[in-house]
Amino acid sequence: MITPPDATAQLALQFQAQQLRIINERLSYVRALLPLASIDWRGPAQQRFDDGVRELHRDLARTRSLIESIESRTMNAASQMSSRVG
């Protein structure tokens, strides 16, 4: 049987995982809004813009990956809480 403190911790972990999922969905939405390359710039300005956009895409992808990992670990922890016996 799960004890009240364990139940509280489990709910908190589930809520945290849900919030992480929401953050990741928002990051995905933002990433989809970013251009892949510049159509308005030329020359060195275009190169700098394109480099910045590529870096931003990489950073967002890396961030989403990290959040997915944290969400998975959080859900595993919540699952472990439900399997505890008191």
Side-chain angles (χ1 to χ4, degrees), residues 3-67:
T3 64
D6 288 345
T8 301
Q10 182 184 18
L11 288 173
L13 288 167
Q14 290 171 339
F15 178 76
Q16 180 179 347
Q18 177 186 24
Q19 295 304 303
L20 289 166
R21 193 173 312 109
I22 290 169
I23 290 168
N24 233 2
E25 289 169 359
R26 289 179 181 167
L27 288 173
S28 181
Y29 175 76
V30 167
R31 189 170 183 225
L33 294 175
L34 293 174
L36 297 176
S38 170
I39 57 172
D40 297 323
W41 299 97
R42 298 285 176 253
Q46 180 181 13
Q47 183 64 40
R48 297 219 185 237
F49 180 87
D50 290 348
D51 288 347
V53 168
R54 278 192 295 276
E55 184 176 351
L56 189 52
H57 275 281
R58 280 191 306 269
D59 288 348
L60 285 170
R62 184 173 34 238
T63 301
R64 290 192 69 237
S65 177
L66 289 170
I67 290 173

